[in-house]
Amino acid sequence: MGADGSQIGIVSTQDALRRAQDLDLDLVEVAPQANPPVARIMDYGKFKYERDIRQKEARKKQARIEVKEIKFRPKIDPHDYATKKGHVERFLRTGARVKVTIMFRGREMARTELGRKILDRLVADLADQAVVEAHPKQDGRNMVMVLAPSKRPPEAKSTEPRNRREPEAAVPRAAAQPVPEQVPDEVVAAPAEAPPET
């Protein structure tokens, strides 16, 4: 094939190379498995550059799914559980998958059902926000589960106007405003100095 995409036909390798050198271009084999092999005269550097640009654009448009990880222990405090559950909710809202890991140490390996209870509780608490993508399974000293954000329809918008104010707290208006300083009704003038005697 020529530089403009036209069909040249079957020519010898030396003749094809000479044509490419005359045009100051490269001879690139595009279909080596064909019989006879298909080659094209082109600027290979420009071709590679344009291909890289196209691939970069395709990667930008590609949806990336992040996988975040959060770790629990079997004997987790209720407040710590609530905090970590909040992190999982935040990750799910951003569209990321969440890998939940329960870490067991020492004798805790004999009570893996405690970790399973925590995972089941987390699934129940996040039932409206997440679906279980990979069910809990034991992986050495860890128990692992993967949650994915659930595809739910967007919530219906409220029909109330946006600038409507929330009712204020029951604080008396007088107490809410600062009290102005008391200014006396009569202003007493300072006594004028007597004129000097001459």
Side-chain angles (χ1 to χ4, degrees), residues 42-195:
M42 67 167 77
D43 184 354
Y44 188 62
K46 182 178 176 184
F47 169 75
K48 274 178 36 176
Y49 174 75
E50 289 172 353
R51 183 189 62 195
D52 292 345
I53 294 292
R54 283 193 304 269
Q55 288 175 349
K56 193 181 286 186
E57 289 296 321
R59 277 197 299 271
K60 279 184 188 174
K61 292 176 185 172
Q62 204 173 31
R64 274 200 186 148
I65 298 176
E66 277 188 288
V67 178
K68 303 278 191 176
E69 184 175 12
I70 194 108
K71 295 183 178 183
F72 288 81
R73 294 295 313 279
K75 296 184 281 189
I76 190 167
D77 183 72
H79 293 86
D80 292 340
Y81 171 82
T83 302
K84 292 195 176 202
K85 184 183 83 167
H87 292 321
V88 172
E89 287 175 339
R90 183 167 44 93
F91 294 151
L92 291 169
R93 276 195 304 272
T94 60
R97 286 200 208 121
V98 183
K99 178 181 174 185
V100 183
T101 305
I102 305 284
M103 301 181 302
F104 297 101
R105 276 198 234 152
R107 289 179 288 185
E108 293 173 350
M109 286 296 294
R111 303 289 306 274
T112 55
E113 70 274 2
L114 294 176
R116 182 63 186 241
K117 282 182 186 176
I118 291 172
L119 293 178
D120 292 341
R121 178 178 164 198
L122 187 66
V123 169
D125 289 347
L126 301 173
D128 59 332
Q129 299 177 25
V131 292
V132 178
E133 193 171 88
H135 291 284
K137 64 178 180 183
Q138 193 73 27
D139 182 22
R141 291 192 164 273
N142 299 330
M143 186 177 283
V144 179
M145 174 180 72
V146 178
L147 296 174
S150 60
K151 305 285 185 211
R152 59 181 176 154
E155 295 176 6
K157 291 186 178 179
S158 173
T159 57
E160 294 182 22
R162 294 185 75 189
N163 60 356
R164 185 171 177 176
R165 292 175 53 185
E166 293 292 323
E168 294 179 4
V171 177
R173 193 167 187 84
Q177 295 177 348
V179 178
E181 290 183 25
Q182 295 287 333
V183 178
D185 293 335
E186 298 175 16
V187 177
V188 180
E193 294 181 13

